[in-house]
Amino acid sequence: MGKLRVYIVSYDISDSKRLYRVHKTMKGFGEPVHYSVFRCNLSDKDKIELIAILSEIIKHDEDRIMIIDLGFLDGYVDRRISLIGVHPEEDNNESAIIV
């Protein structure tokens, strides 16, 4: 496994059936931090796989997925994230579990 990078993945899916499939898929790659927003610690291979699976699920002319690269999972990435209000539970798992 290559070095992991941290990604924020958010999505707007116009159909409830596809929304459920995207959400279920995302749970296999990361942890939800908001509704329709996940934090994922992924290798390059994991990212390619995630994009391939999501591309098969969504309708490209109706849905939208945004992937933001926050850099390597090196302890500094959390300094790039600011939260106001309730913080999500801390996840100490540094690897992705793909279902």
Side-chain angles (χ1 to χ4, degrees):
M1 176 187 300
K3 197 166 182 177
L4 298 178
R5 296 182 73 89
V6 178
Y7 296 93
I8 299 296
V9 180
S10 69
Y11 48 88
D12 290 322
I13 308 297
S14 62
D15 173 76
S16 61
K17 199 177 225 178
R18 289 194 309 275
L19 175 62
Y20 174 77
R21 288 184 64 204
V22 167
H23 185 79
K24 186 176 176 185
T25 298
M26 289 306 305
K27 286 174 73 175
F29 285 88
E31 297 294 323
V33 291
H34 290 276
Y35 187 75
S36 299
V37 179
F38 279 72
R39 175 182 169 157
C40 304
N41 303 332
L42 305 173
S43 67
D44 291 343
K45 180 182 173 197
D46 295 335
K47 183 183 175 194
I48 291 168
E49 183 177 359
L50 174 63
I51 290 171
I53 293 170
L54 293 175
S55 292
E56 291 291 321
I57 296 171
I58 68 168
K59 281 186 88 169
H60 291 261
D61 59 341
E62 295 181 17
D63 305 326
R64 175 180 23 208
I65 296 174
M66 179 172 62
I67 301 171
I68 301 170
D69 183 350
L70 293 179
F72 288 109
L73 181 62
D74 57 6
Y76 295 104
V77 72
D78 287 323
R79 295 179 187 174
R80 297 181 206 127
I81 300 171
S82 298
L83 294 168
I84 300 171
V86 178
H87 290 55
E89 292 183 28
E90 189 168 313
D91 179 18
N92 294 325
N93 184 4
E94 295 186 357
S95 62
I97 299 170
I98 300 171
V99 179

